[in-house]
């Protein structure tokens, strides 16, 4: 039995401790916003926050997440209020197919926590998620917009 | 998410539109109804009493924005309140029952809007006429005295008004007018405008349901492994080795070439599959390699027999008499689509019903696959589409693919819903690959440096021979699609006017299954033709733009887009220090497209793309904001292919298994993309999702030559030690 704290709720899961956190989140806990893309931490579609830092959950054993604070895309908003990154994503109409965007948004939210006003170089270094639709131009615009919302807040 | 046998709703009913799948059919006692019970006003629109407008779309949304664009066209004619619009996907089973009332479901070839705009607009217009008539009947006034706007019908003389929702039940009982006038696009208020997509909210909060996310009571999960060598079969497997593993329910053979493990969770299924001993009969292709395939194609460059795609004058004779001859050989590899969401589908089979749920670009194609695999008649089969995590051509209908597999598994566990999900590795090893192609181009210049003759010899794989053999048969062995962008006529017609021309194709098929890969054959044809045009221009001592302009006298729209990118990139004016330019153009999917790139190169091999200007003339632009995103996105897809992507063959199988060996562009490498939209109207509408993809690669290759003096004639650039930074 592994005790997980996900989006502020405690989940006790019966699972092989070597199972990647991604699959526990998707299959045992039932939160499917976090996506499977590659299984080898290349694409970033599975990005979640563990104690506030972006982690690629497809390559992170569930046992290592026990007792830590896990946030998924479903837990990013505060109640009905979208996170400023989600809000910027809406305003800039960022997603195309949208499949990679949960991971992209989680990676960006973690970046903004660390660097509230990231430069383009900061973005290039920190955001390495794959988007096959090619939404990068809107992603960059929306990151800067969210950062400005940051500054105002 | 709620789900029942016939219908379910994707995501929440978001502001500005949810996505409901499946209609409540067959017919009720009176009129057909939408999923929410609202009455149909013609087949394209159903309106609820609260004025919610359900617009039907049968093309699949995979990120390209087609549901938003098609809804804009219907809503424009319907004159409805856009903020109350929702999208509904009718199913192929319903389509069969209603004699294909919604037309073609296939979502490929950039056809979603360009081939259905007329009948969906007529659907919107017919519904408006019916709603207005219903109000007029109620008021006992002539319909001609009533007007409709924003879902409100007004009778000005009596100052009466009502809403669409209030008269929809009555409107649904009126005959559907067949002959309705459409608006002049110049008067559009909603179509043609850069409005936001309908499906964004659930894509930013994790609620959007893709096929991989489906869950049903009692559902089990399947992981699959097919023989890595195409054409090979399963010889034996030892289920006992894994059947005791946690969660494992069953180990099954799927067709003659695959084995699947069914378990409580997919991770358990995959873990067991990884440990399952399987012996393959690799069949006759186990010795095929990229090198042996390349040899076969190389021989095709000199073959006597080839299918002609475009011809005028006498190219061979004119080449013999040319003042100067230029020759070059190019090559283009196999490439995988690598959709972010790996292939998957959920199937449930009983002897009375077989249904599948999941991502497909062609609901009717998936329906046919379910019919064939289940052995059930059409009235016992249906397909329910989810959102697609990318498609790019991979999720079209291919024989013996993931839909078939899922049904074959479900048949071995009747009554249990089975979600089949491919691992990324399975997805990479069992793609429907971009065809492999080589090309020799020979050009002749006269004494004045004019292009007097051109022979383009293609040698390589035909997609249609593999997936639509009947078309190839009708064409006496020729695959007309092989000539996309250089064809004799039609939506992929060659734009250059060359007095002596021969474009032919020595078809050389391989055991690697080909498929439609975003842009299809324009990817390689544009690299071949547009890089060679630069080679010819240089041999003629002429500017690359001027050389092309002289050949485009009969193609003003091609000239229009080429001039537009040249002007915007600053062609003819000095570039910033260390920056070099290249350009390219093509006609594809009935759109005229051009691209111009600015790059710099450090250490001879590190390429930075600073800007790309893309221009398109699709005739009509339904949503300029989404078109800009498609242009930029197509460049990401095309440039990822140019720099990084090749699927090589060793011992009969594909070697690349995941993104570490098959890279894709990241944000750091993204150039600034500037889109120029030049819709010139006319009667023929062009496509959006694919055409521009083909101009990025040749524009960058032509710029790379100017920067380095090195002409690169094969893709991908990583094989030349060239990096994208």
């Amino acid at each position: 039995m592994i005790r997980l704290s996900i989006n502020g709720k405690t989940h006790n899961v019966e699972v092989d401790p070597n199972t990647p956190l991604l699959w526990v989140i998707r299959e045992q806990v039932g939160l499917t916003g976090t996506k499977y893309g590659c299984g080898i931490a290349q694409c970033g579609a599975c990005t979640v926050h563990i104690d506030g830092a972006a982690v690629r959950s497809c390559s992170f054993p569930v046992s290592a997440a026990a007792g830590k604070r896990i946030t998924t895309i479903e837990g990013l908003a505060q109640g009905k209020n979208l996170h400023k990154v989600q809000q910027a994503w809406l305003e800039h109409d960022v997603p195309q197919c949208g499949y990679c965007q949960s991971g992209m948004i989680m990676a960006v939210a973690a970046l903004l926590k660390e660097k509230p006003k990231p430069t383009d170089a900061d973005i290039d270094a920190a955001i390495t998620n794959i988007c096959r639709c090619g939404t990068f131009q809107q992603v960059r615009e929306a990151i800067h917009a969210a950062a400005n919302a940051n500054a105002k807040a | 998410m709620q789900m029942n046998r016939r219908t379910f709703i994707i995501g929440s009913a978001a502001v500005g539109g949810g996505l409901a799948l499946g209609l409540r059919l067959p017919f009720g006692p009176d009129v057909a109804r939408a999923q929410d019970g609202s009455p149909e006003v013609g087949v394209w629109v159903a309106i609820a009493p609260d004025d919610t407008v359900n617009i039907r779309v049968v093309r699949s949304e995979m990120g390209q924005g087609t549901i938003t664009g098609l809804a804009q066209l219907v809503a424009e004619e319907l004159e409805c309140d856009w903020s109350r619009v929702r999208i509904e996907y009718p199913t192929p089973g319903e389509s069969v029952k209603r004699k294909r009332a919604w037309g073609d479901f296939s979502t490929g070839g950039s056809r979603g809007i360009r081939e259905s705009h007329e009948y969906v607009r007529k659907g919107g217009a017919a519904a408006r006429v019916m709603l207005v008539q219903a109000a007029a009947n109620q008021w006992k006034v002539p319909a001609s005295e009533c007007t409709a706007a924003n879902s409100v019908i007004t009778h000005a003389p009596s100052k009466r008004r009502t809403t669409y929702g209030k008269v929809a039940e009555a409107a649904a009982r009126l005959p559907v007018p067949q002959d309705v006038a459409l608006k002049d696009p110049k008067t559009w208020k909603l179509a043609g405008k850069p409005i936001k997509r309908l499906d964004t909210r659930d894509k930013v909060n994790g609620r959007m349901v893709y096929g991989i996310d489906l869950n049903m009571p009692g559902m089990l999960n399947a992981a699959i492994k097919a023989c890595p060598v195409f054409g090979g079969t399963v010889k034996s497997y030892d289920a006992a080795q894994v059947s005791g593993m946690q969660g494992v329910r069953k180990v099954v053979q799927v067709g003659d070439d695959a084995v699947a493990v069914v378990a409580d969770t997919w991770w358990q299924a995959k873990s067991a599959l990884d440990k399952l001993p399987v012996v393959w009969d690799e069949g006759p292709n186990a010795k095929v390699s990229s090198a042996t395939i390349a040899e076969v194609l190389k021989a095709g460059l000199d073959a006597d027999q080839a299918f002609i795609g475009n011809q005028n004058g006498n190219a061979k004779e004119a080449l013999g008499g040319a003042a100067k001859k230029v020759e070059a050989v190019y090559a283009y590899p196999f490439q995988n689509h690598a959709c972010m969401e790996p292939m998957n589908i959920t199937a449930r089979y009983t002897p009375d019903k077989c249904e599948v749920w999941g991502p497909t670009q062609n609901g009717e194609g998936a329906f046919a696959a379910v019919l064939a695999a289940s052995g059930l008649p059409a009235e016992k089969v249906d397909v329910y589409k989810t959102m697609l995590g990318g498609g790019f051509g991979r999720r079209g209908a291919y024989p013996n693919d993931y839909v078939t597999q899922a049904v074959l598994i479900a048949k071995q566990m009747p009554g249990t819903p089975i979600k089949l999900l491919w691992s990324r590795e399975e997805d990479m090893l069992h793609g429907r690959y971009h065809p492999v192609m080589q090309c020799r181009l020979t050009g002749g210049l006269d004494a004045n440096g004019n292009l007097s003759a051109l022979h383009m010899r293609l040698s390589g794989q035909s997609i249609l021979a593999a997936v639509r053999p009947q078309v190839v048969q009708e064409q006496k062995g020729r695959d007309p699609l092989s000539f996309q962008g250089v064809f004799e006529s039609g939506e992929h017609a060659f734009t250059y006017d060359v007095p002596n021309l021969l474009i032919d194709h020595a078809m050389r098929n391989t055991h690697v299954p080909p498929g439609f890969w975003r842009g299809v054959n324009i990817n390689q044809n544009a690299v071949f033709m547009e890089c060679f045009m630069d080679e010819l221009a240089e041999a003629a001592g002429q500017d690359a733009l001027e050389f092309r302009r002289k050949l485009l006298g009969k193609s003003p729209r091609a000239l229009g887009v080429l001039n537009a990118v040249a002007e915007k990139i600053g062609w003819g004016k000095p570039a910033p220090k260390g920056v070099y330019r290249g350009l390219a153009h093509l006609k594809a999917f009935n759109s005229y497209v051009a691209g111009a790139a600015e790059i710099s190169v450090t250490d001879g091999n590190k390429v930075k793309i600073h800007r790309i200007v893309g221009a398109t003339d699709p005739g009509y632009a339904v949503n300029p904001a989404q078109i800009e995103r498609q242009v930029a996105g197509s460049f990401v897809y095309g440039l990822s292919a140019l720099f990084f992507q090749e699927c090589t063959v060793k011992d009969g199988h594909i070697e690349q298994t995941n993104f570490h060996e098959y890279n894709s562009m990241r944000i750091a490498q993204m150039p600034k993309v500037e889109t120029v939209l030049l819709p010139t109207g006319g009667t023929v509408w062009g496509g959006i999702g694919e055409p521009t993809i083909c101009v990025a690669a040749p524009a960058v290759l032509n710029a790379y030559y100017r920067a380095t003096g090195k002409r690169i004639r094969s893709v991908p650039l990583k094989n030349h030690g060239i990096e994208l930074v």
Side-chain angles (χ1 to χ4, degrees):
Chain A
M1 182 83 82
I2 294 175
R3 199 176 174 83
L4 295 174
S5 161
I6 302 178
N7 303 333
K9 272 177 73 177
T10 302
H11 300 265
N12 294 308
V13 291
E14 273 303 345
V15 67
D16 177 342
N18 294 319
T19 305
L21 177 61
L22 166 68
W23 293 102
V24 177
I25 290 172
R26 288 182 56 82
E27 301 198 296
Q28 266 86 15
V29 179
L31 295 172
T32 55
T34 307
K35 299 300 193 232
Y36 165 65
C38 68
I40 57 168
Q42 284 282 312
C43 77
C46 64
T47 304
V48 300
H49 294 173
I50 297 183
D51 288 340
V55 167
R56 294 188 173 179
S57 64
C58 73
S59 304
F60 194 92
V62 64
S63 53
K68 302 204 162 96
R69 194 163 43 85
I70 301 162
T71 308
T72 70
I73 186 72
E74 292 90 346
L76 196 59
Q78 297 292 321
K80 284 191 169 173
N81 297 323
L82 290 178
H83 186 278
K84 60 182 177 268
V85 175
Q86 293 171 306
Q87 195 59 43
W89 249 240
L90 267 187
E91 280 160 18
H92 290 261
D93 223 12
V94 174
Q96 288 185 28
C97 89
Y99 190 82
C100 74
Q101 297 294 334
S102 294
M104 193 80 81
I105 288 167
M106 295 307 282
V108 170
L111 168 67
L112 291 185
K113 203 179 293 176
E114 204 185 312
K115 291 188 174 157
K117 276 286 242 183
T119 63
D120 280 335
D122 294 333
I123 293 168
D124 291 347
I127 306 302
T128 57
N129 301 46
I130 293 176
C131 171
R132 296 285 288 148
C133 295
T135 58
F136 299 128
Q137 197 145 293
Q138 279 72 39
V139 167
R140 191 183 297 280
E141 282 171 15
I143 294 173
H144 288 307
N148 286 331
N150 234 3
K152 280 178 218 149
Chain B
M1 190 177 76
Q2 358 164 330
M3 183 183 297
N4 61 35
R5 247 167 57 79
R6 298 199 52 81
T7 62
F8 63 94
I9 296 177
I10 279 197
S12 59
V15 174
L19 180 62
L21 305 188
L23 315 185
R24 187 174 295 170
L25 288 170
F27 300 88
D30 44 11
V31 295
R33 287 176 189 278
Q35 202 272 341
D36 66 0
S38 56
E40 267 191 21
V41 186
V43 300
W44 293 98
V45 175
I47 299 175
D50 70 354
D51 292 324
T52 299
V53 176
N54 294 291
I55 292 178
R56 276 67 182 276
V57 176
V58 294
R59 310 286 175 152
S60 301
E61 180 60 52
M62 52 192 146
Q64 82 279 40
T66 206
I67 60 174
T68 304
L70 287 166
Q72 278 176 270
L73 290 170
V74 174
E76 177 69 51
E77 296 290 344
L78 180 59
E79 298 284 2
C80 68
D81 178 355
W82 179 252
S83 71
R84 307 303 306 278
V85 166
R86 292 162 45 101
I87 299 299
E88 224 173 31
Y89 276 160
T91 69
E94 289 150 3
S95 173
V96 168
K97 285 180 198 126
R98 299 176 68 177
K99 301 191 173 74
R100 272 191 121 202
W102 299 281
D104 190 355
F105 280 54
S106 170
T107 316
S110 298
R111 289 194 301 263
I113 287 174
R114 72 187 172 106
E115 289 194 354
S116 59
H117 67 87
E118 189 166 344
Y119 56 76
V120 304
R121 285 190 289 154
K122 282 185 173 165
R128 185 198 68 238
V129 169
M130 293 160 77
L131 291 157
V132 168
Q133 187 64 55
N137 291 351
Q138 200 179 313
W139 294 330
K140 301 191 169 55
V141 299
S144 59
E145 288 180 2
C146 301
T147 56
N150 215 31
S151 295
V152 174
I153 302 162
T154 305
H155 182 244
S158 64
K159 296 198 171 75
R160 276 178 293 188
R161 45 185 281 148
T162 188
T163 68
Y164 281 4
K166 293 196 177 81
V167 295
E169 281 287 350
R173 288 167 172 79
L174 297 174
V176 181
Q178 296 306 307
D179 194 22
V180 285
L182 295 179
K183 290 182 182 178
D184 181 340
K186 290 189 187 76
T187 67
W188 283 349
K189 300 180 298 253
L190 183 65
K193 300 293 181 260
I195 58 175
K196 289 187 179 169
R197 302 172 63 104
L198 289 169
D199 53 354
T200 301
R201 179 167 288 261
D202 284 355
K203 290 178 176 174
V204 307
N205 61 20
R207 284 201 203 122
M208 181 58 76
V209 176
Y210 300 82
I212 194 175
D213 303 326
L214 286 170
N215 197 7
M216 297 183 205
M219 186 184 84
L220 297 176
N221 291 273
I224 197 164
K225 191 185 279 180
C227 181
V229 179
F230 307 109
T233 54
V234 177
K235 197 183 266 176
S236 65
Y237 58 95
D238 187 0
Q241 296 290 322
V242 302
S243 51
M245 285 178 70
Q246 200 181 20
V248 171
R249 300 293 192 98
K250 200 163 188 171
V251 181
V252 296
Q253 186 165 336
V254 186
D256 62 359
D257 68 341
V259 186
V261 175
V262 180
D264 292 338
T265 71
W266 186 76
W267 183 255
Q268 290 167 338
K270 189 212 177 261
S271 301
L273 184 65
D274 288 345
K275 291 201 163 62
L276 178 69
V278 185
V279 181
W280 306 106
D281 175 356
E282 294 184 331
N285 304 312
K287 297 219 178 321
V288 177
S289 69
S290 287
T292 62
I293 291 171
E295 279 305 307
V296 171
L297 267 58
K298 188 162 176 286
L301 293 176
D302 297 312
D304 291 335
Q305 194 275 334
F307 299 106
I308 294 171
N310 201 347
Q311 186 176 31
N312 58 269
N314 188 329
K316 285 182 178 166
E317 199 178 285
L319 281 168
K324 195 170 186 179
K325 230 165 98 171
V326 183
E327 189 177 291
V329 174
Y330 285 77
Y332 202 92
F334 291 120
Q335 290 167 332
N336 190 300
H337 300 77
C339 304
M340 286 307 300
E341 181 191 18
M343 296 307 108
N344 69 84
I345 200 103
T346 299
R348 181 171 52 196
Y349 171 89
T350 69
D352 286 327
K353 188 90 194 171
C354 186
E355 294 164 296
V356 306
W357 295 260
T360 173
Q361 286 177 239
N362 186 344
E364 292 177 315
F367 186 83
V370 179
L371 277 183
S374 70
L376 294 177
E379 64 271 19
K380 295 185 173 180
V381 165
D382 216 342
V383 173
Y384 308 90
K385 293 191 290 183
T386 58
M387 185 60 65
L388 282 65
F392 313 113
R394 178 61 186 86
R395 291 189 157 100
Y398 298 106
N400 302 316
D401 206 11
Y402 63 101
V403 176
T404 302
Q405 289 178 341
V407 173
L408 293 179
I409 298 169
K411 273 179 96 168
Q412 299 182 59
M413 303 184 82
T416 302
I418 304 287
K419 179 161 75 183
L420 170 67
L421 168 64
W422 290 14
S423 65
R424 173 60 59 195
E425 289 76 12
E426 188 69 8
D427 197 285
M428 286 298 296
L429 293 185
H430 290 284
R432 302 287 160 151
Y433 301 87
H434 190 295
V436 66
M437 197 69 73
Q438 292 185 17
C439 178
R440 176 187 287 133
L441 293 125
T442 314
L445 299 166
D446 68 16
N448 299 318
N450 296 313
L451 182 62
S452 55
L454 178 64
H455 179 202
M456 178 189 205
R457 162 59 66 87
L458 298 160
S459 174
Q461 190 149 20
S462 157
I463 302 170
L464 292 187
V467 306
R468 308 251 203 290
Q470 68 281 12
V471 174
V472 172
Q473 209 169 7
E474 283 160 20
Q475 294 261 333
K476 299 188 170 65
R478 180 175 81 159
D479 174 357
L481 267 195
S482 301
F483 304 99
Q484 282 177 304
V486 295
F487 199 45
E488 57 202 10
S489 61
E491 65 179 44
H492 288 103
F494 193 48
T495 52
Y496 293 119
D497 185 18
V498 182
N500 296 286
L501 178 74
L502 176 62
I503 298 177
D504 56 10
H505 175 213
M507 191 186 291
R508 293 293 180 272
N509 295 324
T510 79
H511 80 299
V512 177
F516 305 101
W517 190 103
R518 191 176 191 173
V520 195
N521 292 299
I522 62 173
N523 291 295
Q524 74 271 21
N525 287 343
V527 166
F528 302 158
M529 184 56 69
E530 285 296 285
C531 288
F532 192 64
M533 274 293 152
D534 264 40
E535 296 200 50
L536 288 168
E538 191 190 22
Q542 294 174 32
D543 173 74
L545 174 62
E546 286 309 317
F547 188 78
R548 286 177 172 82
R549 279 177 172 159
K550 286 197 291 185
L551 299 169
L552 290 173
K554 291 182 179 168
S555 192
R557 292 174 71 188
L559 196 58
V561 290
L562 192 60
N563 284 336
V565 297
E567 189 187 330
K568 187 135 184 144
I569 204 83
W571 196 266
K573 293 178 193 149
K577 192 171 170 351
V579 171
Y580 297 86
R581 294 176 180 141
L583 47 71
H585 97 287
L586 208 77
K587 180 186 180 186
F589 305 95
N590 266 331
S591 288
Y592 294 81
V593 294
E598 278 191 349
I599 75 166
S600 58
V601 183
T602 50
D603 306 332
N605 73 331
K606 292 181 183 62
V607 176
K608 177 76 194 165
I609 308 172
H610 302 281
R611 298 165 71 197
I612 307 190
V613 177
T616 179
D617 173 2
Y620 297 87
V622 174
N623 188 322
Q626 294 310 319
I627 293 174
E628 281 180 21
R629 284 158 175 75
Q630 286 302 296
V631 171
S634 76
F635 288 172
V636 172
Y637 207 73
L639 292 171
S640 293
L642 172 67
F643 279 89
F644 311 124
Q645 296 175 351
E646 176 180 30
C647 294
T648 52
V649 180
K650 187 186 173 193
D651 299 333
H653 64 82
I654 296 296
E655 291 189 278
Q656 291 71 25
T657 60
N658 209 317
F659 286 119
H660 67 296
E661 297 161 317
Y662 192 80
N663 202 358
S664 191
M665 192 195 273
R666 315 296 162 110
I667 199 169
Q669 296 155 321
M670 178 74 192
K672 182 181 178 207
V673 175
E674 298 158 58
T675 302
V676 184
L677 253 175
L678 290 168
T680 51
T683 54
V684 178
W685 291 36
I688 295 297
E690 294 171 274
T692 49
I693 191 171
C694 72
V695 293
V700 167
L701 286 167
N702 288 336
Y704 184 81
Y705 175 76
R706 287 195 186 86
T708 63
K710 279 188 221 146
R711 176 55 67 182
I712 306 294
R713 299 192 182 93
S714 71
V715 173
L717 300 187
K718 68 167 186 174
N719 292 350
H720 303 272
I722 298 171
E723 298 167 22
L724 179 62
V725 296

